Structure formats: structure tokens, C-alpha cells
């Protein structure tokens, strides 16, 4: 029973994290400089309270599942962890660039951060496929 509660909390954290990261990617890539400061100010507050907490929850509940129930022996889990580390790093870059863009609205982030949406979506598809199919 506890396994399913932890798994549900992990999945809920994942949904909140990915939703927040997609909003960040949209604002970073699409919002024009004229209105960036106001939009980013509101989004940064949401990101600090919801998205960052969801990232922490995803890691905590995910590691709890690994240490308590799954173990590190499967190859699919290693591939999934690599993608999760990539997503965590991208979230940190998004936070950094939103802070910089709020200070200087005309500043444009590097291509990797601007291309956040497809990176996030492809990573999520791969993570879900690895977790459900467990191909290796």
C-alpha cells in the first residue's frame, strides 16, 4: 500500500514539475521583451514555490522508490536517471535565465534554454516509455 502512495506522490510531483518547466520554456522563448519583466516576475514566484517544490518531491519520492522497492540493477533506470538529471539541470538554467531576463529584458538566452519545450517533451516521452516498458 505504501508503495502505491509513494508512486502516486512521485507521479503528481512529476506532473507539476513538467507543467512548470513548460510554462518557463514558453515564457523564455515566446514572451516579447516589452512585457517580459512583469510576466517573469510573476512566473518566478510560481516557479520558486510550486515547480521547485515539485522537483524536490520528484527526486525525494523517486529515490525512495529506488532505495525501497526497485534497486539500481536495471538498465532502464540508469537511462531514466540520466534524463531526469538533464531535466533538473534544464530547470536550473531556466531559473537562472529568467532571473537575468528580468534584470535585462532585452537579453536572449542560449539556444539550449530557448529550445526548452521540445527538449522537455521528448525527455518526458522517453522517461515514461522507459518506466512503463522497462526495455532493458
Amino acid at each position: 500500500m505504501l508503495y502505491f502512495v509513494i508512486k502516486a506522490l512521485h507521479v503528481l510531483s512529476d506532473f507539476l514539475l513538467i507543467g512548470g518547466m513548460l510554462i518557463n520554456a514558453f515564457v523564455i522563448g515566446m514572451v516579447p521583451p516589452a512585457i517580459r519583466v512583469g510576466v517573469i516576475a510573476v512566473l518566478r514566484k510560481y516557479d520558486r514555490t510550486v515547480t521547485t517544490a515539485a522537483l524536490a518531491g520528484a527526486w525525494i519520492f523517486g529515490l525512495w522508490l529506488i532505495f525501497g522497492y526497485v534497486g539500481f540493477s536495471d538498465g532502464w533506470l540508469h537511462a531514466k536517471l540520466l534524463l531526469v538529471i538533464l531535466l533538473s539541470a534544464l530547470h536550473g538554467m531556466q531559473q537562472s535565465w529568467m532571473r537575468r531576463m528580468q534584470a535585462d529584458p532585452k537579453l536572449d538566452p542560449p539556444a539550449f534554454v530557448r529550445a526548452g519545450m521540445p527538449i522537455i517533451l521528448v525527455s518526458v516521452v522517453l522517461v515514461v516509455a522507459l518506466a512503463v516498458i522497462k526495455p532493458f
Side-chain angles (χ1 to χ4, degrees), residues 3-111:
Y3 169 77
F4 294 110
V5 171
I6 297 167
K7 193 172 185 178
L9 290 170
H10 177 65
V11 171
L12 176 64
S13 297
D14 294 342
F15 278 125
L16 290 172
L17 170 64
I18 297 306
M21 287 184 68
L22 287 171
I23 293 168
N24 291 348
F26 176 78
V27 168
I28 288 170
M30 302 291 189
V31 172
I35 61 170
R36 266 188 194 163
V37 174
V39 173
I40 288 176
V42 172
L43 180 59
R44 284 188 65 214
K45 183 176 180 186
Y46 176 85
D47 186 68
R48 283 190 305 265
T49 56
V50 177
T51 309
T52 303
L55 177 62
W59 272 105
I60 290 167
F61 296 123
L63 290 173
W64 193 348
L65 289 169
I66 290 170
F67 287 119
Y69 300 98
V70 179
F72 280 108
S73 61
D74 297 331
W76 66 268
L77 183 59
H78 296 176
K80 179 183 173 189
L81 283 172
L82 180 67
L83 291 168
V84 169
I85 290 169
L86 170 84
L87 287 172
S88 297
L90 179 59
H91 179 253
M93 287 184 239
Q94 286 178 331
Q95 285 182 319
S96 172
W97 277 98
M98 283 193 300
R99 186 183 71 251
R100 293 176 193 173
M101 291 167 68
Q102 186 178 9
D104 181 7
K106 295 180 182 174
L107 188 64
D108 283 327

